[in-house]
């Protein structure tokens, strides 16, 4: 497939990792965004790495999905990435070879999680396809926008290969219903056995207690705490909960053991780009700013007026986290009556 | 013990993230003020801990630091040798300039194959410049290796690698047979510093330089010509204007909510 027919007419494969499957689960917000992004580029089919429930299939149809490919013969969640990439390559070649008038996929869209990027990378080698990661915006011809060097540069990049692989960050494209429903016909594709022999197997898995809050990288609002909380995340969590926000943390707070490392925002943690980022008791070291400075609106509360976080804050409060955050939380509750 | 290890550690010479970093209009990164990538130090430390436990170099183990890049990239190798790597390999060729992840992994895979049997390829969790996270995965695919990524701890017993990884909402134990590609996070260990003895010892260690011819690759397979992605434009992000800064006089929480309301965020 060439660049010409990638323009608005490509067949797009959207990869939905980890489901939707199981007990009547529905699509996540990030998955709906991936499907909306796919529709910008052409006709969307989906490859779900887990079985698809009937409810989720109906939802995929509503989102304009033409066909849904599901794995058969092995549970991909029992392995890290290698078999997933091999299976996706087989999905692409099975569709390309069906001779039924279907063109092969010109664009493959995955999520930008570490697993999504790893699958994209390995699939790229298998298909001889260029991979653009960390995509935050798309043009209809497949040109991708991304921000690099910790958000300090905006880059337009594209795959120059016949097939393009893109990994899309959450909150980059608005989820929206499709103009026309798709058939969402389910087609099982066997997981290639050879890929299982040389794969990393998950031998134990322990779920951590769910916080009930939105997932950090997907959240519209993030409230993060740092050293200035002195280990008491109470005010941070209180404000997060009235805002319906995810809780994040600086590396100092995570290293101190105050919160789990998977809440860490920054160069060695998560990159977030929410509508609103509240940094509470965070000085704003460059490694932290690398993970959050593309947020639309930044609010900082810190008792030290010289904190570098104030250089990038749209609204900064020089003050005590333990006074300002609870007052703000109470005020929001009051205004909502 | 009889179970010696040959480990290749990927090291990268990257611009120091403490300073402003710059891109040219078409993408290539300004590599002045560069250092050994901080995240690669965890990979090197992990390799040294595994080999130290088996008697180090004297016990027949080997830690090879591998980098790709221009002449300055050798500095990352020198630092790795001072910290304790046994030897260095520098993939360097003018034709490699402008390589994307695909072309980079092609060249690195060829370099690793040229080293004979390797038990483990160890990497950091990401480079601190490109940040695409693609190279380890693509290297694993090209070398047909299982990849055990984002290890917060790892152990090797016999010919099996086992790691712990701490993901979103889930902690996992993952196993694979060697050879394997493993990446470690900054939780895996505390990297050691080079000491005086290490700095002296490093002067006697060898750095091999490999050109494209040595790797058996053609110029068209790497660099911009061999890349599968292209940067069309690169622009500095407009600096964030300084916003409103207030000092709390007892009502800052309310003023903060006024601001959020004005921004239609609540």
């Amino acid at each position: 497939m060439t660049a010409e027919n990638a323009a608005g007419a490509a067949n797009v494969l959207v990869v939905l990792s980890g489901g939707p499957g199981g007990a009547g689960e529905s699509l996540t917000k990030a998955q709906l965004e991936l499907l909306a992004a796919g529709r910008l580029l052409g006709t969307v089919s989906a490859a779900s790495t887990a079985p698809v429930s009937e409810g989720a299939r109906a939802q995929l149809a509503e989102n304009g999905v033409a066909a849904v490919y599901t794995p058969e013969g092995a549970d991909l969640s029992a392995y890290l990435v290698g078999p997933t990439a091999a299976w996706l390559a087989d999905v692409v070649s099975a569709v390309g070879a069906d001779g039924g008038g279907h063109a092969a996929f010109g664009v493959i869209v995955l999520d930008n999680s570490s697993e999504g990027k790893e699958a994209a990378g390995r699939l790229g080698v298998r298909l001889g396809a260029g991979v653009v990661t960390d995509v935050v915006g798309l043009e209809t011809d497949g040109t991708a926008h991304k921000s690099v060097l910790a958000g300090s540069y905006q880059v337009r990049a594209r795959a120059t290969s016949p097939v393009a692989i893109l990994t899309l960050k959450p909150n980059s494209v608005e989820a929206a219903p499709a103009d026309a429903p798709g058939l969402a016909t389910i087609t099982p594709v066997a997981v290639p056995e050879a890929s299982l022999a040389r794969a990393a197997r998950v031998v134990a898995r322990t779920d951590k207690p769910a916080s009930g809050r939105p997932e950090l990288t997907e959240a519209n609002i993030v409230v993060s705490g740092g050293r200035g909380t002195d280990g008491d995340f109470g005010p941070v969590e209180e404000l997060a909960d009235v805002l319906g926000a995810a809780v994040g943390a600086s590396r100092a707070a995570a290293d101190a053991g105050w919160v789990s490392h998977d809440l860490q925002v920054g160069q060695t943690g998560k990159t977030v780009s929410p509508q609103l980022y509240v940094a509470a008791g965070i000085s704003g070291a460059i490694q932290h700013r690398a993970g959050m400075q593309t947020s639309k609106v930044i609010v900082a509360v810190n008792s030290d007026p010289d904190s570098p976080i104030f250089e990038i804050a749209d609204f900064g409060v020089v003050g005590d986290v333990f006074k300002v955050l609870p007052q703000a939380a109470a005020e929001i509750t009051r205004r909502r009556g | 013990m009889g179970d010696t290890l040959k480990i290749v550690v990927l090291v990268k010479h990257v611009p120091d993230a403490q300073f402003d970093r710059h891109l040219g209009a078409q993408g290539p990164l300004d590599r002045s003020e560069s250092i050994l990538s901080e995240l690669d130090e965890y990979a090197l430390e992990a390799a040294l801990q595994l080999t130290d436990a088996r008697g180090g170099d004297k016990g027949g183990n080997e830690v090879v630091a591998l980098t790709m890049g221009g002449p300055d990239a050798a500095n990352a190798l020198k630092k790795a040798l001072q910290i304790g790597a046994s030897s260095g390999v520098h993939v360097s060729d003018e034709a490699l300039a402008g390589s994307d992840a695909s072309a980079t992994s092609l060249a690195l895979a060829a370099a690793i194959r040229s080293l004979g049997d390797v038990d483990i390829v160890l990497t950091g969790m990401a480079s601190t410049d490109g940040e695409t996270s693609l190279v380890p995965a693509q290297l694993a695919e090209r070398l047909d290796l299982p990849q055990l990524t984002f290890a917060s701890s790892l152990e090797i017993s016999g010919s099996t690698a086992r790691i712990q990884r701490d993901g979103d909402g889930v902690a996992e134990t993952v196993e694979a047979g060697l050879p394997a590609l493993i990446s470690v996070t900054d939780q895996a260990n505390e990297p050691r510093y080079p000491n005086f003895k290490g700095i002296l010892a490093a002067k006697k260690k060898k750095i091999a330089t490999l050109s494209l011819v040595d790797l058996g690759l053609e110029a068209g397979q790497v660099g911009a010509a061999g890349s599968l992605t292209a940067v069309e434009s690169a622009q500095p992000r407009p600096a964030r204007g300084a916003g409103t800064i207030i000092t709390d006089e007892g009502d800052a929480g309310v003023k903060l909510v006024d601001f959020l309301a004005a921004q239609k965020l609540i």
Side-chain angles (χ1 to χ4, degrees):
Chain A
M1 177 164 281
T2 62
E4 290 88 74
N5 55 14
N11 284 320
V12 181
L13 183 67
V14 171
V15 179
L16 305 174
S17 60
E25 283 175 21
S26 52
L27 301 181
T28 64
K29 173 171 164 275
Q31 290 177 332
L32 294 171
E33 290 173 1
L34 292 182
L35 294 171
R39 290 198 304 272
L40 288 175
L41 304 173
T43 307
V44 174
S45 292
S48 171
T49 62
V52 171
S53 67
E54 186 49 40
R57 197 195 71 84
Q59 214 182 351
L60 288 167
E62 284 165 21
N63 276 275
V65 172
V68 183
Y69 302 93
T70 54
E72 193 177 48
D75 175 6
L76 290 173
S77 72
Y79 304 90
L80 298 190
V81 72
T84 297
W87 176 71
L88 289 171
D90 274 13
V91 168
V92 171
S93 57
V95 174
D98 77 352
H102 291 91
F105 297 109
V107 186
I108 300 168
V109 181
L110 299 94
D111 68 70
N112 199 60
S113 65
S114 51
E115 289 80 4
K117 289 195 277 191
E118 288 173 356
R122 293 189 77 132
L123 183 61
V125 169
R126 283 182 174 262
L127 300 178
V131 184
V132 181
T133 61
D134 303 286
V135 175
V136 295
L138 283 172
E139 295 173 24
T140 51
D141 70 351
T143 302
H145 295 223
K146 55 188 285 183
S147 69
V148 303
L149 289 183
S152 58
Y153 276 79
Q154 294 168 319
V155 161
R156 287 171 71 241
R158 58 178 299 119
T160 53
S161 47
V163 178
I165 301 178
L166 308 171
T167 68
L168 185 76
K169 285 191 164 188
N171 295 325
S172 300
V173 171
E174 197 141 338
D179 293 336
L183 291 172
T185 45
I186 298 210
T187 305
V189 174
V191 175
E193 260 183 53
S195 71
L196 304 178
R198 299 282 309 134
R201 281 186 316 116
V202 178
V203 294
R205 185 173 269 151
T206 314
D207 287 324
K208 299 176 190 171
S211 69
R213 297 193 180 94
E215 209 274 310
L216 187 54
T217 54
E218 292 181 18
N220 283 325
I221 303 179
V222 174
V223 183
S224 285
R227 206 188 294 274
T229 65
D230 280 332
D232 179 0
F233 262 56
V236 170
E237 292 174 348
E238 184 189 355
L239 183 61
D241 289 342
V242 297
L243 289 169
V247 168
S250 69
R251 177 159 180 190
D255 278 352
W258 300 338
V259 294
S260 160
H261 265 284
D262 48 7
L263 298 187
Q264 184 188 323
V265 172
Q267 187 159 47
T268 58
K270 300 279 164 55
T271 301
V272 300
S273 194
Q275 295 293 319
L276 170 63
Y277 187 84
V278 181
I282 291 176
S283 66
I286 193 156
Q287 286 82 356
H288 186 76
R289 302 210 307 259
M292 47 64 77
Q293 66 182 356
T294 57
S295 303
K296 308 287 184 300
V297 174
I298 296 172
V299 166
V301 181
N302 199 303
S303 55
D304 177 3
D306 296 326
S307 296
I309 194 79
F310 288 125
E311 292 165 17
I312 59 165
D314 298 287
F315 190 83
V317 177
V318 180
D320 182 350
V321 164
F322 292 92
K323 292 183 178 142
V324 177
L325 264 49
Q327 187 180 57
E331 178 68 10
I332 293 166
T333 306
R334 189 187 69 78
R335 290 191 192 192
R336 285 177 180 156
Chain B
M1 257 191 290
D3 57 340
T4 57
L5 289 174
K6 181 168 179 177
I7 303 177
V8 175
V9 181
L10 299 193
V11 296
K12 195 170 181 187
H13 192 234
V14 299
D16 191 339
Q18 300 288 351
F19 301 108
D20 281 341
R21 296 172 292 173
H22 300 287
L23 286 181
Q26 292 296 312
L29 188 59
D30 176 355
R31 293 190 174 274
S32 52
E33 307 214 61
S34 287
I35 55 169
L36 170 63
S37 175
E38 183 199 339
L39 296 174
D40 295 343
E41 294 185 17
Y42 298 95
L44 182 57
E45 179 64 35
L48 293 172
Q49 286 184 10
L50 288 173
T51 52
D52 285 352
R54 289 162 173 77
D57 287 358
K58 288 192 181 74
N61 301 283
E62 214 179 322
V63 174
V64 183
L66 169 64
T67 197
M68 172 175 140
D72 287 352
N75 292 332
L77 292 178
K78 286 176 189 153
K79 176 93 182 278
L81 296 180
Q82 290 174 352
I83 292 172
S86 325
S87 63
V89 174
H90 185 181
V91 175
S92 190
D93 198 297
E94 280 178 17
L96 291 164
S99 293
D100 71 353
S102 175
T104 299
S105 64
L106 183 74
L108 289 174
I112 292 170
R113 281 195 204 99
S114 79
L115 297 174
D117 288 336
V118 168
D119 298 300
I120 303 172
V121 179
L122 254 167
T123 79
M125 60 194 284
S127 68
T128 54
D129 53 352
E131 298 170 359
T132 66
S133 312
L134 291 175
V135 168
Q138 299 203 317
L139 202 47
E141 186 68 41
R142 292 188 191 282
L143 297 171
D144 191 23
L145 297 179
Q147 64 181 107
L148 302 101
T149 43
F150 298 96
S152 54
S153 70
L154 75 154
E155 57 178 310
I156 308 297
S157 49
S159 60
T160 301
R162 179 184 298 115
I163 68 157
Q164 304 290 328
R165 61 192 330 238
D166 199 12
D168 283 326
V170 63
E172 291 169 331
T173 306
V174 182
E175 277 184 9
L178 298 181
L181 179 139
I182 302 174
S183 79
V184 295
T185 72
D186 58 347
Q187 302 304 307
N189 51 50
E190 282 293 331
R192 67 192 72 177
Y193 293 104
N195 57 26
F196 184 65
K197 200 174 145 207
I199 291 167
L200 280 184
K203 294 183 199 262
K204 294 184 190 141
K205 294 176 181 173
K206 290 197 174 65
I207 293 179
T209 302
L210 299 178
S211 67
L212 278 193
V213 173
D214 300 322
L215 297 177
L217 295 174
E218 307 281 338
Q221 293 176 275
V222 295
S227 290
L228 302 174
T229 57
V231 170
E232 302 205 326
S233 65
Q235 289 176 321
R237 184 185 165 83
R240 294 189 83 100
T244 307
I245 311 288
I246 63 167
T247 299
D248 186 19
E249 291 169 345
D251 61 350
V254 175
K255 286 183 173 159
L256 171 53
V257 177
D258 288 342
F259 170 80
L260 296 180
Q263 297 283 325
K264 298 188 169 32
L265 289 164
I266 51 168

